[in-house]
């Protein structure tokens, strides 16, 4: 009520645009895979650098999600799309900037590399 419906609408549009921006970053990164098209502010993707079993892929991505949360980088969730486990980002904070999304993708890739190289999860 304080800011009006027009401002609220602009903020929603901003978050949708940021979702598309994040999708572009994911598509540009060879170690990431967009799992579903981005139509709104929700982006479903996974770290998928090499051939690995579905079980291992889920474990690696789950660990990425947990570490992002533990490190305070981002609070994301996971889901299943067309039978594929993936990470789910819902851009909905009006303070989110492109730089935040750039950092997020860098951190996903960094953590994924660390987890895969280390061999251990947990």
């Amino acid at each position: 009520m304080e800011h009006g419906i027009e401002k609220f609408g602009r903020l929603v549009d901003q978050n949708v645009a940021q979702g598309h921006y994040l999708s572009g970053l994911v598509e540009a990164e060879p170690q990431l895979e967009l799992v579903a098209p981005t139509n709104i502010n929700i982006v479903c993707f996974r770290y998928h650098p090499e051939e690995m079993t579905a079980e291992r892929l889920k474990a690696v991505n789950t660990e990425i999600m947990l570490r992002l949360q533990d490190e305070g980088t981002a609070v994301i969730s996971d889901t299943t799309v067309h039978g594929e486990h993936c990470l789910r980002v819902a851009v909905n904070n009006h303070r989110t900037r492109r730089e935040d999304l750039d950092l997020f993708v860098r951190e996903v890739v960094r953590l994924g590399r660390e987890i895969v190289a280390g061999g251990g999860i947990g």
Side-chain angles (χ1 to χ4, degrees):
M1 296 296 278
E2 179 180 329
H3 298 292
I5 195 154
E6 289 176 10
K7 183 168 184 174
F8 181 73
R10 284 193 304 273
L11 293 174
V12 170
D13 289 344
Q14 172 183 301
N15 289 154
V16 171
Q18 290 168 329
H20 287 282
Y21 178 76
L22 178 56
S23 285
L25 294 176
V26 167
E27 289 179 315
E29 172 52 59
Q31 295 186 329
L32 301 180
E33 175 186 19
L34 194 63
V35 177
T38 300
N39 297 315
I40 54 174
N41 63 321
I42 297 172
V43 181
C44 295
F45 74 100
R46 62 186 177 175
Y47 181 78
H48 195 203
E50 59 190 50
E51 289 298 317
M52 60 178 71
T53 66
E55 179 180 308
R56 172 82 172 138
L57 197 56
K58 181 176 181 177
V60 167
N61 279 278
T62 299
E63 186 65 19
I64 290 170
M65 177 186 68
L66 295 173
R67 290 187 190 187
L68 286 168
Q69 293 170 357
D70 287 346
E71 293 176 4
T73 303
V75 178
I76 64 171
S77 60
D78 59 348
T79 191
T80 303
V81 176
H82 305 298
E84 302 288 342
H85 176 264
C86 58
L87 302 174
R88 179 185 179 274
V89 175
V91 183
N92 57 18
N93 187 320
H94 68 280
R95 292 185 178 101
T96 300
R97 301 289 173 248
R98 285 186 172 201
E99 297 81 24
D100 300 322
L101 301 172
D102 296 337
L103 172 67
F104 171 75
V105 168
R106 285 193 307 271
E107 288 301 295
V108 168
V109 172
R110 179 187 66 81
L111 289 169
R113 287 179 179 154
E114 286 178 9
I115 294 163
V116 170
I121 296 176

